[in-house]
Amino acid sequence: MLVLGLETSCDETGVALYDSERGLLADALFSQVDLHRIYGGVVPELASRDHVKRMIPLIRQVMSEANVRSSDIDGIAYTAGPGLVGALLVGASCAQALAFGWNVPALGVHHMEGHLLAPMLEAQPPAFPFVALLVSGGHTQLVRVDGIGRYELLGESVDDAAGEAFDKTAKLLGLGYPGGPEIARLALQGTPGRFVFPRPMTDRPGLDFSFSGLKTFALNTWQKCQAAGDDGEATRSDIALAFQQAVVETLVIKCRRALKATGLKNLVIAGGVSANLSLRTSLEAMLQEAKGQVFYARPQFCTDNGAMIAYAGCQRLLAGQRPDGPGIGVQARWSMETLPAV
């Protein structure tokens, strides 16, 4: 089965072609980072308009690269949520229009299920069951995964997601957008031990996260340094390092707890923050000690992309799932636990 995948949940337009027998045939991505950078964050209306501008050229590009005609495509998968409603509607309406014209099904895919399944695109994919850490700008969740559509939420952030905390902390330090890569870059130059940040919610049982207070701690530390006239690049680097260490160690502690609670040995990390090298290194060390294994997608498939949507949609279409009708429906919020198993 050959599936065209469309991703427009936020600020990246992703298109890909996935074949159930030959694997990923082509993928293309346009990032809106430069468009939103001057505003310090995503402007939803601008994001939607840019998706409209980029979608058809990217579809033509991947079809040309894969030497595929419209008559070869068996189905279309598009991100139906969660995400920015205006941006989601661009991908949904495009998918439904193409599906009508090509006489193929168009299936809405859960954005976070796409992230969760992205490591399946690698040469050595994880086997079910496993624990998944979904960590991005909008979500921080621990999920037990027994199969596609068989998800049990173990814990999640009660306020800011980890990626959101990275972006906000970067902004208060006067760094650019997106903040995660900027914090990681500065942290490489930081002095370990100069600042020690708290590891939120690790002093109590449970698997939920909270990063809002950590962001406030970073702000207070930065303001104290500014008041003392110590607001140079070295101090920024030291704060960035302390902040990143606190986030990473918190995530590692919670992952260790989740694996122990479930009795599982394999961990998948997915979402934009999973590209953070410090997080990957720390989780690999923890899993090696626990005699387990950690899986993640290649860096270009950690952030939003069409390949993960094409793959997830293909698995559901292969299992016989079909859309309820031709209507265009998207969801800004959508629990993965409500998805049907395949």
Side-chain angles (χ1 to χ4, degrees), residues 78-267:
Y78 65 93
T79 303
L84 303 175
V85 170
L88 291 168
L89 284 170
V90 175
S93 57
C94 183
Q96 294 290 357
L98 290 175
F100 180 81
W102 296 345
N103 193 30
V104 297
L107 186 66
V109 171
H110 194 291
H111 178 72
M112 295 311 294
E113 179 175 67
H115 275 303
L116 187 153
L117 297 176
M120 299 296 185
L121 293 165
E122 302 304 315
Q124 294 183 319
F128 301 114
F130 54 78
V131 171
L133 171 66
L134 303 178
V135 57
S136 66
H139 299 82
T140 302
Q141 298 177 327
L142 279 166
V143 181
R144 179 188 172 116
V145 181
D146 289 300
I148 296 177
R150 299 170 61 195
Y151 309 129
E152 178 189 354
L153 181 64
L154 303 174
E156 63 184 339
S157 180
V158 299
D159 43 53
D160 289 353
E164 185 180 5
F166 267 105
D167 286 340
K168 290 180 177 179
T169 300
K171 190 172 183 178
L172 68 87
L173 289 174
L175 304 176
Y177 173 85
E182 291 295 306
I183 292 285
R185 177 185 61 81
L186 271 187
L188 293 173
Q189 308 166 35
T191 302
R194 180 182 175 191
F195 300 110
V196 178
F197 285 18
R199 277 53 174 163
M201 295 184 72
T202 58
D203 59 348
R204 67 195 76 173
L207 295 171
D208 285 336
F209 304 89
S210 172
F211 294 108
S212 181
L214 190 60
K215 174 193 63 185
T216 303
F217 194 95
L219 174 62
N220 291 337
T221 302
W222 175 236
Q223 289 178 336
K224 288 178 182 178
C225 292
Q226 285 181 307
D230 184 14
D231 56 355
E233 188 75 0
T235 296
R236 276 192 177 91
S237 299
D238 295 342
I239 292 175
L241 175 60
F243 175 81
Q244 178 174 266
Q245 286 177 329
V247 172
V248 167
E249 188 171 333
T250 298
L251 293 172
V252 170
I253 289 171
K254 297 288 184 168
C255 286
R256 184 186 294 115
R257 288 183 185 177
L259 291 168
K260 183 177 181 180
T262 59
L264 299 176
K265 292 291 186 181
N266 289 338
L267 175 73

